[in-house]
Amino acid sequence: MITVRRSNDRGHFDHGWLDTRHTFSFADYHDPRHMGFRALRVINEDRVAPGQGFGTHGHRDMEILSYVLSGRLAHRDSMGSGSSLGPGEVQRMTAGTGVLHSEFNGSDSEPVHFLQIWILPGRQGLLPGYEQRAFPEEERRGRLRLVASPDGADGSVTIHQDARVHAGLLGGGDQVVLSLEADRHAWVQVVRGKLRVGDETLSAGDGAALSEEREVRLAGVDASEVLVFDLA
């Protein structure tokens, strides 16, 4: 079964410095029909104006991934981590018992466009942690590249949940298949372009939940970028 979540149906707020779209309920956007999918709790598509960002604030008991599409994202946190994240890089922060952090546009002239993703951890009270990895275009082109997993397989960042995240760049006519084990589920999030998931055509910002399926079959319609979450 494939259930589509269209881009225009997401929560949307334009704060001037921040244009944000929420796939699932978040902050002032609440829809009891869309509270997350399995352990996947948040997918926010954020565009932050030059020199602006999220000031220091706290989180706990959450796995937070950032995936930059364009521009640069500057990160600072109470663990002493400080970095700049660009396209093709994935940042994982384990909030665990509690962490303070800030995320800012690292440019004074260009906006930053990124996805903020929250995944519920397998257990509470984890030690806070931070990790950042780069996944070049050639590793994602025409395939699904593992970028996050519970065991850090294949150079992916490590998340504390039975979930795997894949990133892919597909051209028109490209086809990829991700097999799912019995009783697994998947969420497909189209980042750019247009592709087909089974018999459904999805465009940028669209998402789809897959349950009772044994594979995720993707076909590029035009140049596209996609994230696929394999979930328990």
PDB file of all heavy atoms in Angstrom, residues 68-108:
ATOM      1  N   VAL A  68      21.619  19.111   3.606  1.00  0.00           N
ATOM      2  CA  VAL A  68      21.647  20.396   2.914  1.00  0.00           C
ATOM      3  C   VAL A  68      21.487  20.191   1.413  1.00  0.00           C
ATOM      4  O   VAL A  68      22.143  19.342   0.807  1.00  0.00           O
ATOM      5  CB  VAL A  68      22.961  21.150   3.225  1.00  0.00           C
ATOM      6  CG1 VAL A  68      23.057  22.431   2.407  1.00  0.00           C
ATOM      7  CG2 VAL A  68      23.035  21.479   4.717  1.00  0.00           C
ATOM      8  N   LEU A  69      20.624  21.018   0.810  1.00  0.00           N
ATOM      9  CA  LEU A  69      20.381  20.973  -0.630  1.00  0.00           C
ATOM     10  C   LEU A  69      21.168  22.049  -1.361  1.00  0.00           C
ATOM     11  O   LEU A  69      21.683  21.812  -2.460  1.00  0.00           O
ATOM     12  CB  LEU A  69      18.890  21.144  -0.910  1.00  0.00           C
ATOM     13  CG  LEU A  69      17.996  20.140  -0.184  1.00  0.00           C
ATOM     14  CD1 LEU A  69      16.533  20.461  -0.412  1.00  0.00           C
ATOM     15  CD2 LEU A  69      18.312  18.739  -0.640  1.00  0.00           C
ATOM     16  N   SER A  70      21.261  23.232  -0.772  1.00  0.00           N
ATOM     17  CA  SER A  70      22.064  24.308  -1.353  1.00  0.00           C
ATOM     18  C   SER A  70      22.445  25.287  -0.258  1.00  0.00           C
ATOM     19  O   SER A  70      21.767  25.403   0.757  1.00  0.00           O
ATOM     20  CB  SER A  70      21.296  25.031  -2.467  1.00  0.00           C
ATOM     21  OG  SER A  70      20.123  25.650  -1.968  1.00  0.00           O
ATOM     22  N   GLY A  71      23.557  25.991  -0.465  1.00  0.00           N
ATOM     23  CA  GLY A  71      24.060  26.911   0.548  1.00  0.00           C
ATOM     24  C   GLY A  71      24.857  26.177   1.614  1.00  0.00           C
ATOM     25  O   GLY A  71      25.240  25.016   1.443  1.00  0.00           O
ATOM     26  N   ARG A  72      25.069  26.854   2.746  1.00  0.00           N
ATOM     27  CA  ARG A  72      25.834  26.248   3.830  1.00  0.00           C
ATOM     28  C   ARG A  72      25.136  26.514   5.162  1.00  0.00           C
ATOM     29  O   ARG A  72      24.603  27.602   5.405  1.00  0.00           O
ATOM     30  CB  ARG A  72      27.266  26.781   3.871  1.00  0.00           C
ATOM     31  CG  ARG A  72      28.069  26.455   2.615  1.00  0.00           C
ATOM     32  CD  ARG A  72      29.555  26.415   2.892  1.00  0.00           C
ATOM     33  NE  ARG A  72      29.942  25.311   3.750  1.00  0.00           N
ATOM     34  CZ  ARG A  72      30.184  24.070   3.303  1.00  0.00           C
ATOM     35  NH1 ARG A  72      30.054  23.775   2.028  1.00  0.00           N
ATOM     36  NH2 ARG A  72      30.549  23.117   4.152  1.00  0.00           N
ATOM     37  N   LEU A  73      25.176  25.488   6.012  1.00  0.00           N
ATOM     38  CA  LEU A  73      24.544  25.537   7.319  1.00  0.00           C
ATOM     39  C   LEU A  73      25.629  25.486   8.389  1.00  0.00           C
ATOM     40  O   LEU A  73      26.444  24.560   8.411  1.00  0.00           O
ATOM     41  CB  LEU A  73      23.591  24.347   7.481  1.00  0.00           C
ATOM     42  CG  LEU A  73      22.728  24.290   8.738  1.00  0.00           C
ATOM     43  CD1 LEU A  73      21.708  25.417   8.732  1.00  0.00           C
ATOM     44  CD2 LEU A  73      22.021  22.932   8.833  1.00  0.00           C
ATOM     45  N   ALA A  74      25.650  26.497   9.268  1.00  0.00           N
ATOM     46  CA  ALA A  74      26.651  26.565  10.338  1.00  0.00           C
ATOM     47  C   ALA A  74      26.051  26.019  11.626  1.00  0.00           C
ATOM     48  O   ALA A  74      24.966  26.437  12.046  1.00  0.00           O
ATOM     49  CB  ALA A  74      27.102  28.007  10.543  1.00  0.00           C
ATOM     50  N   HIS A  75      26.758  25.069  12.251  1.00  0.00           N
ATOM     51  CA  HIS A  75      26.269  24.382  13.440  1.00  0.00           C
ATOM     52  C   HIS A  75      27.186  24.654  14.633  1.00  0.00           C
ATOM     53  O   HIS A  75      28.406  24.608  14.511  1.00  0.00           O
ATOM     54  CB  HIS A  75      26.218  22.869  13.176  1.00  0.00           C
ATOM     55  CG  HIS A  75      25.966  22.040  14.400  1.00  0.00           C
ATOM     56  ND1 HIS A  75      24.704  21.721  14.832  1.00  0.00           N
ATOM     57  CD2 HIS A  75      26.836  21.463  15.291  1.00  0.00           C
ATOM     58  CE1 HIS A  75      24.793  20.985  15.929  1.00  0.00           C
ATOM     59  NE2 HIS A  75      26.073  20.812  16.232  1.00  0.00           N
ATOM     60  N   ARG A  76      26.573  24.903  15.801  1.00  0.00           N
ATOM     61  CA  ARG A  76      27.302  24.998  17.061  1.00  0.00           C
ATOM     62  C   ARG A  76      26.473  24.312  18.122  1.00  0.00           C
ATOM     63  O   ARG A  76      25.242  24.371  18.114  1.00  0.00           O
ATOM     64  CB  ARG A  76      27.525  26.470  17.473  1.00  0.00           C
ATOM     65  CG  ARG A  76      28.357  27.283  16.489  1.00  0.00           C
ATOM     66  CD  ARG A  76      29.824  26.863  16.505  1.00  0.00           C
ATOM     67  NE  ARG A  76      30.643  27.696  15.644  1.00  0.00           N
ATOM     68  CZ  ARG A  76      30.814  27.514  14.342  1.00  0.00           C
ATOM     69  NH1 ARG A  76      30.191  26.488  13.746  1.00  0.00           N
ATOM     70  NH2 ARG A  76      31.565  28.303  13.622  1.00  0.00           N
ATOM     71  N   ASP A  77      27.143  23.642  19.105  1.00  0.00           N
ATOM     72  CA  ASP A  77      26.375  22.999  20.167  1.00  0.00           C
ATOM     73  C   ASP A  77      27.150  22.971  21.476  1.00  0.00           C
ATOM     74  O   ASP A  77      28.339  23.305  21.537  1.00  0.00           O
ATOM     75  CB  ASP A  77      25.936  21.587  19.750  1.00  0.00           C
ATOM     76  CG  ASP A  77      27.092  20.619  19.500  1.00  0.00           C
ATOM     77  OD1 ASP A  77      28.037  20.598  20.312  1.00  0.00           O
ATOM     78  OD2 ASP A  77      27.054  19.893  18.495  1.00  0.00           O
ATOM     79  N   SER A  78      26.439  22.572  22.539  1.00  0.00           N
ATOM     80  CA  SER A  78      27.009  22.576  23.884  1.00  0.00           C
ATOM     81  C   SER A  78      27.999  21.444  24.108  1.00  0.00           C
ATOM     82  O   SER A  78      28.649  21.389  25.153  1.00  0.00           O
ATOM     83  CB  SER A  78      25.882  22.494  24.920  1.00  0.00           C
ATOM     84  OG  SER A  78      25.061  21.357  24.693  1.00  0.00           O
ATOM     85  N   MET A  79      28.148  20.531  23.138  1.00  0.00           N
ATOM     86  CA  MET A  79      29.162  19.478  23.221  1.00  0.00           C
ATOM     87  C   MET A  79      30.511  19.967  22.716  1.00  0.00           C
ATOM     88  O   MET A  79      31.500  19.227  22.748  1.00  0.00           O
ATOM     89  CB  MET A  79      28.719  18.255  22.411  1.00  0.00           C
ATOM     90  CG  MET A  79      27.464  17.592  22.921  1.00  0.00           C
ATOM     91  SD  MET A  79      26.906  16.225  21.844  1.00  0.00           S
ATOM     92  CE  MET A  79      26.247  17.138  20.440  1.00  0.00           C
ATOM     93  N   GLY A  80      30.541  21.205  22.189  1.00  0.00           N
ATOM     94  CA  GLY A  80      31.779  21.747  21.646  1.00  0.00           C
ATOM     95  C   GLY A  80      31.927  21.546  20.156  1.00  0.00           C
ATOM     96  O   GLY A  80      32.949  21.917  19.572  1.00  0.00           O
ATOM     97  N   SER A  81      30.915  20.960  19.513  1.00  0.00           N
ATOM     98  CA  SER A  81      30.967  20.749  18.066  1.00  0.00           C
ATOM     99  C   SER A  81      30.681  22.058  17.342  1.00  0.00           C
ATOM    100  O   SER A  81      29.785  22.809  17.722  1.00  0.00           O
ATOM    101  CB  SER A  81      29.937  19.699  17.628  1.00  0.00           C
ATOM    102  OG  SER A  81      30.131  18.485  18.314  1.00  0.00           O
ATOM    103  N   GLY A  82      31.431  22.297  16.280  1.00  0.00           N
ATOM    104  CA  GLY A  82      31.213  23.446  15.421  1.00  0.00           C
ATOM    105  C   GLY A  82      31.595  23.079  14.006  1.00  0.00           C
ATOM    106  O   GLY A  82      32.692  22.554  13.782  1.00  0.00           O
ATOM    107  N   SER A  83      30.684  23.295  13.061  1.00  0.00           N
ATOM    108  CA  SER A  83      30.974  22.854  11.706  1.00  0.00           C
ATOM    109  C   SER A  83      30.160  23.656  10.709  1.00  0.00           C
ATOM    110  O   SER A  83      29.247  24.400  11.074  1.00  0.00           O
ATOM    111  CB  SER A  83      30.645  21.364  11.547  1.00  0.00           C
ATOM    112  OG  SER A  83      29.256  21.158  11.731  1.00  0.00           O
ATOM    113  N   SER A  84      30.505  23.475   9.432  1.00  0.00           N
ATOM    114  CA  SER A  84      29.756  24.060   8.332  1.00  0.00           C
ATOM    115  C   SER A  84      29.357  22.924   7.407  1.00  0.00           C
ATOM    116  O   SER A  84      30.196  22.120   6.999  1.00  0.00           O
ATOM    117  CB  SER A  84      30.619  25.085   7.588  1.00  0.00           C
ATOM    118  OG  SER A  84      29.920  25.617   6.470  1.00  0.00           O
ATOM    119  N   LEU A  85      28.088  22.832   7.099  1.00  0.00           N
ATOM    120  CA  LEU A  85      27.525  21.723   6.341  1.00  0.00           C
ATOM    121  C   LEU A  85      27.076  22.213   4.974  1.00  0.00           C
ATOM    122  O   LEU A  85      26.378  23.222   4.874  1.00  0.00           O
ATOM    123  CB  LEU A  85      26.329  21.154   7.113  1.00  0.00           C
ATOM    124  CG  LEU A  85      25.766  19.802   6.718  1.00  0.00           C
ATOM    125  CD1 LEU A  85      26.716  18.706   7.160  1.00  0.00           C
ATOM    126  CD2 LEU A  85      24.396  19.600   7.369  1.00  0.00           C
ATOM    127  N   GLY A  86      27.480  21.494   3.908  1.00  0.00           N
ATOM    128  CA  GLY A  86      27.113  21.861   2.551  1.00  0.00           C
ATOM    129  C   GLY A  86      26.376  20.749   1.849  1.00  0.00           C
ATOM    130  O   GLY A  86      26.125  19.674   2.417  1.00  0.00           O
ATOM    131  N   PRO A  87      26.018  20.945   0.577  1.00  0.00           N
ATOM    132  CA  PRO A  87      25.294  19.921  -0.180  1.00  0.00           C
ATOM    133  C   PRO A  87      26.051  18.588  -0.207  1.00  0.00           C
ATOM    134  O   PRO A  87      27.272  18.553  -0.328  1.00  0.00           O
ATOM    135  CB  PRO A  87      25.203  20.525  -1.589  1.00  0.00           C
ATOM    136  CG  PRO A  87      25.255  22.001  -1.359  1.00  0.00           C
ATOM    137  CD  PRO A  87      26.200  22.181  -0.206  1.00  0.00           C
ATOM    138  N   GLY A  88      25.295  17.506  -0.058  1.00  0.00           N
ATOM    139  CA  GLY A  88      25.898  16.183  -0.065  1.00  0.00           C
ATOM    140  C   GLY A  88      26.443  15.753   1.276  1.00  0.00           C
ATOM    141  O   GLY A  88      26.993  14.655   1.398  1.00  0.00           O
ATOM    142  N   GLU A  89      26.290  16.583   2.304  1.00  0.00           N
ATOM    143  CA  GLU A  89      26.749  16.227   3.643  1.00  0.00           C
ATOM    144  C   GLU A  89      25.547  15.954   4.548  1.00  0.00           C
ATOM    145  O   GLU A  89      24.490  16.566   4.401  1.00  0.00           O
ATOM    146  CB  GLU A  89      27.603  17.339   4.232  1.00  0.00           C
ATOM    147  CG  GLU A  89      28.915  17.545   3.506  1.00  0.00           C
ATOM    148  CD  GLU A  89      29.768  18.620   4.144  1.00  0.00           C
ATOM    149  OE1 GLU A  89      29.554  19.804   3.827  1.00  0.00           O
ATOM    150  OE2 GLU A  89      30.637  18.279   4.955  1.00  0.00           O
ATOM    151  N   VAL A  90      25.731  15.032   5.489  1.00  0.00           N
ATOM    152  CA  VAL A  90      24.687  14.680   6.441  1.00  0.00           C
ATOM    153  C   VAL A  90      25.224  14.893   7.851  1.00  0.00           C
ATOM    154  O   VAL A  90      26.329  14.458   8.178  1.00  0.00           O
ATOM    155  CB  VAL A  90      24.239  13.217   6.270  1.00  0.00           C
ATOM    156  CG1 VAL A  90      23.240  12.830   7.361  1.00  0.00           C
ATOM    157  CG2 VAL A  90      23.620  13.003   4.891  1.00  0.00           C
ATOM    158  N   GLN A  91      24.445  15.575   8.656  1.00  0.00           N
ATOM    159  CA  GLN A  91      24.797  15.823  10.053  1.00  0.00           C
ATOM    160  C   GLN A  91      23.825  15.051  10.942  1.00  0.00           C
ATOM    161  O   GLN A  91      22.624  15.068  10.720  1.00  0.00           O
ATOM    162  CB  GLN A  91      24.678  17.323  10.334  1.00  0.00           C
ATOM    163  CG  GLN A  91      24.725  17.723  11.797  1.00  0.00           C
ATOM    164  CD  GLN A  91      24.388  19.195  11.948  1.00  0.00           C
ATOM    165  OE1 GLN A  91      25.148  20.066  11.549  1.00  0.00           O
ATOM    166  NE2 GLN A  91      23.215  19.487  12.504  1.00  0.00           N
ATOM    167  N   ARG A  92      24.376  14.343  11.939  1.00  0.00           N
ATOM    168  CA  ARG A  92      23.550  13.644  12.919  1.00  0.00           C
ATOM    169  C   ARG A  92      23.874  14.161  14.306  1.00  0.00           C
ATOM    170  O   ARG A  92      25.037  14.172  14.720  1.00  0.00           O
ATOM    171  CB  ARG A  92      23.792  12.132  12.847  1.00  0.00           C
ATOM    172  CG  ARG A  92      22.911  11.305  13.800  1.00  0.00           C
ATOM    173  CD  ARG A  92      23.528  11.081  15.179  1.00  0.00           C
ATOM    174  NE  ARG A  92      24.812  10.393  15.097  1.00  0.00           N
ATOM    175  CZ  ARG A  92      25.639  10.253  16.129  1.00  0.00           C
ATOM    176  NH1 ARG A  92      25.344  10.771  17.311  1.00  0.00           N
ATOM    177  NH2 ARG A  92      26.785   9.635  15.970  1.00  0.00           N
ATOM    178  N   MET A  93      22.844  14.589  15.025  1.00  0.00           N
ATOM    179  CA  MET A  93      23.009  14.995  16.409  1.00  0.00           C
ATOM    180  C   MET A  93      22.084  14.158  17.270  1.00  0.00           C
ATOM    181  O   MET A  93      20.874  14.128  17.052  1.00  0.00           O
ATOM    182  CB  MET A  93      22.697  16.479  16.598  1.00  0.00           C
ATOM    183  CG  MET A  93      23.023  16.972  18.009  1.00  0.00           C
ATOM    184  SD  MET A  93      22.722  18.742  18.241  1.00  0.00           S
ATOM    185  CE  MET A  93      20.932  18.765  18.284  1.00  0.00           C
ATOM    186  N   THR A  94      22.668  13.447  18.227  1.00  0.00           N
ATOM    187  CA  THR A  94      21.892  12.709  19.220  1.00  0.00           C
ATOM    188  C   THR A  94      21.659  13.633  20.405  1.00  0.00           C
ATOM    189  O   THR A  94      22.609  14.019  21.099  1.00  0.00           O
ATOM    190  CB  THR A  94      22.648  11.446  19.670  1.00  0.00           C
ATOM    191  OG1 THR A  94      22.776  10.554  18.554  1.00  0.00           O
ATOM    192  CG2 THR A  94      21.925  10.735  20.805  1.00  0.00           C
ATOM    193  N   ALA A  95      20.395  14.029  20.609  1.00  0.00           N
ATOM    194  CA  ALA A  95      20.103  14.966  21.696  1.00  0.00           C
ATOM    195  C   ALA A  95      20.186  14.270  23.055  1.00  0.00           C
ATOM    196  O   ALA A  95      20.628  14.863  24.042  1.00  0.00           O
ATOM    197  CB  ALA A  95      18.730  15.590  21.496  1.00  0.00           C
ATOM    198  N   GLY A  96      19.749  13.010  23.105  1.00  0.00           N
ATOM    199  CA  GLY A  96      19.903  12.214  24.317  1.00  0.00           C
ATOM    200  C   GLY A  96      19.417  12.895  25.585  1.00  0.00           C
ATOM    201  O   GLY A  96      18.297  13.398  25.648  1.00  0.00           O
ATOM    202  N   THR A  97      20.283  12.940  26.593  1.00  0.00           N
ATOM    203  CA  THR A  97      19.917  13.506  27.890  1.00  0.00           C
ATOM    204  C   THR A  97      19.785  15.019  27.866  1.00  0.00           C
ATOM    205  O   THR A  97      19.346  15.619  28.837  1.00  0.00           O
ATOM    206  CB  THR A  97      20.958  13.114  28.957  1.00  0.00           C
ATOM    207  OG1 THR A  97      22.268  13.498  28.497  1.00  0.00           O
ATOM    208  CG2 THR A  97      20.932  11.617  29.217  1.00  0.00           C
ATOM    209  N   GLY A  98      20.139  15.635  26.751  1.00  0.00           N
ATOM    210  CA  GLY A  98      19.944  17.072  26.597  1.00  0.00           C
ATOM    211  C   GLY A  98      21.133  17.750  25.954  1.00  0.00           C
ATOM    212  O   GLY A  98      22.279  17.501  26.336  1.00  0.00           O
ATOM    213  N   VAL A  99      20.853  18.607  24.971  1.00  0.00           N
ATOM    214  CA  VAL A  99      21.905  19.349  24.289  1.00  0.00           C
ATOM    215  C   VAL A  99      21.349  20.697  23.845  1.00  0.00           C
ATOM    216  O   VAL A  99      20.165  20.824  23.523  1.00  0.00           O
ATOM    217  CB  VAL A  99      22.444  18.547  23.076  1.00  0.00           C
ATOM    218  CG1 VAL A  99      21.390  18.390  22.004  1.00  0.00           C
ATOM    219  CG2 VAL A  99      23.703  19.180  22.503  1.00  0.00           C
ATOM    220  N   LEU A 100      22.204  21.714  23.870  1.00  0.00           N
ATOM    221  CA  LEU A 100      21.870  23.027  23.329  1.00  0.00           C
ATOM    222  C   LEU A 100      22.599  23.193  22.010  1.00  0.00           C
ATOM    223  O   LEU A 100      23.762  22.813  21.884  1.00  0.00           O
ATOM    224  CB  LEU A 100      22.289  24.139  24.295  1.00  0.00           C
ATOM    225  CG  LEU A 100      21.626  24.150  25.671  1.00  0.00           C
ATOM    226  CD1 LEU A 100      22.284  25.210  26.563  1.00  0.00           C
ATOM    227  CD2 LEU A 100      20.137  24.414  25.553  1.00  0.00           C
ATOM    228  N   HIS A 101      21.918  23.767  21.012  1.00  0.00           N
ATOM    229  CA  HIS A 101      22.600  23.979  19.735  1.00  0.00           C
ATOM    230  C   HIS A 101      21.984  25.157  18.991  1.00  0.00           C
ATOM    231  O   HIS A 101      20.895  25.638  19.326  1.00  0.00           O
ATOM    232  CB  HIS A 101      22.550  22.713  18.871  1.00  0.00           C
ATOM    233  CG  HIS A 101      21.227  22.481  18.187  1.00  0.00           C
ATOM    234  ND1 HIS A 101      21.105  22.341  16.831  1.00  0.00           N
ATOM    235  CD2 HIS A 101      19.967  22.371  18.690  1.00  0.00           C
ATOM    236  CE1 HIS A 101      19.838  22.157  16.512  1.00  0.00           C
ATOM    237  NE2 HIS A 101      19.130  22.154  17.620  1.00  0.00           N
ATOM    238  N   SER A 102      22.692  25.628  17.971  1.00  0.00           N
ATOM    239  CA  SER A 102      22.188  26.651  17.064  1.00  0.00           C
ATOM    240  C   SER A 102      22.506  26.229  15.642  1.00  0.00           C
ATOM    241  O   SER A 102      23.487  25.524  15.402  1.00  0.00           O
ATOM    242  CB  SER A 102      22.825  28.016  17.364  1.00  0.00           C
ATOM    243  OG  SER A 102      24.224  27.984  17.111  1.00  0.00           O
ATOM    244  N   GLU A 103      21.643  26.636  14.698  1.00  0.00           N
ATOM    245  CA  GLU A 103      21.839  26.363  13.275  1.00  0.00           C
ATOM    246  C   GLU A 103      21.610  27.668  12.528  1.00  0.00           C
ATOM    247  O   GLU A 103      20.516  28.243  12.603  1.00  0.00           O
ATOM    248  CB  GLU A 103      20.856  25.292  12.771  1.00  0.00           C
ATOM    249  CG  GLU A 103      20.843  23.995  13.567  1.00  0.00           C
ATOM    250  CD  GLU A 103      22.074  23.135  13.350  1.00  0.00           C
ATOM    251  OE1 GLU A 103      22.738  23.292  12.307  1.00  0.00           O
ATOM    252  OE2 GLU A 103      22.381  22.305  14.241  1.00  0.00           O
ATOM    253  N   PHE A 104      22.629  28.133  11.807  1.00  0.00           N
ATOM    254  CA  PHE A 104      22.538  29.408  11.103  1.00  0.00           C
ATOM    255  C   PHE A 104      22.957  29.258   9.653  1.00  0.00           C
ATOM    256  O   PHE A 104      23.750  28.371   9.300  1.00  0.00           O
ATOM    257  CB  PHE A 104      23.436  30.453  11.774  1.00  0.00           C
ATOM    258  CG  PHE A 104      22.781  31.187  12.911  1.00  0.00           C
ATOM    259  CD1 PHE A 104      22.746  30.633  14.183  1.00  0.00           C
ATOM    260  CD2 PHE A 104      22.183  32.414  12.697  1.00  0.00           C
ATOM    261  CE1 PHE A 104      22.142  31.294  15.229  1.00  0.00           C
ATOM    262  CE2 PHE A 104      21.563  33.096  13.744  1.00  0.00           C
ATOM    263  CZ  PHE A 104      21.547  32.539  15.013  1.00  0.00           C
ATOM    264  N   ASN A 105      22.413  30.124   8.824  1.00  0.00           N
ATOM    265  CA  ASN A 105      22.912  30.235   7.459  1.00  0.00           C
ATOM    266  C   ASN A 105      24.355  30.707   7.538  1.00  0.00           C
ATOM    267  O   ASN A 105      24.644  31.752   8.122  1.00  0.00           O
ATOM    268  CB  ASN A 105      22.052  31.233   6.670  1.00  0.00           C
ATOM    269  CG  ASN A 105      22.417  31.283   5.203  1.00  0.00           C
ATOM    270  OD1 ASN A 105      23.512  30.911   4.797  1.00  0.00           O
ATOM    271  ND2 ASN A 105      21.487  31.757   4.395  1.00  0.00           N
ATOM    272  N   GLY A 106      25.263  29.941   6.945  1.00  0.00           N
ATOM    273  CA  GLY A 106      26.679  30.284   7.016  1.00  0.00           C
ATOM    274  C   GLY A 106      27.111  31.328   6.016  1.00  0.00           C
ATOM    275  O   GLY A 106      28.306  31.639   5.927  1.00  0.00           O
ATOM    276  N   SER A 107      26.164  31.905   5.245  1.00  0.00           N
ATOM    277  CA  SER A 107      26.499  32.905   4.233  1.00  0.00           C
ATOM    278  C   SER A 107      25.770  34.216   4.517  1.00  0.00           C
ATOM    279  O   SER A 107      24.625  34.208   5.000  1.00  0.00           O
ATOM    280  CB  SER A 107      26.114  32.397   2.834  1.00  0.00           C
ATOM    281  OG  SER A 107      26.206  33.428   1.872  1.00  0.00           O
ATOM    282  N   ASP A 108      26.424  35.327   4.200  1.00  0.00           N
ATOM    283  CA  ASP A 108      25.796  36.649   4.319  1.00  0.00           C
ATOM    284  C   ASP A 108      25.118  37.070   3.028  1.00  0.00           C
ATOM    285  O   ASP A 108      24.515  38.149   2.963  1.00  0.00           O
ATOM    286  CB  ASP A 108      26.831  37.705   4.715  1.00  0.00           C
ATOM    287  CG  ASP A 108      27.346  37.506   6.123  1.00  0.00           C
ATOM    288  OD1 ASP A 108      26.565  37.036   6.979  1.00  0.00           O
ATOM    289  OD2 ASP A 108      28.529  37.819   6.373  1.00  0.00           O
TER     290      ASP A 108
END
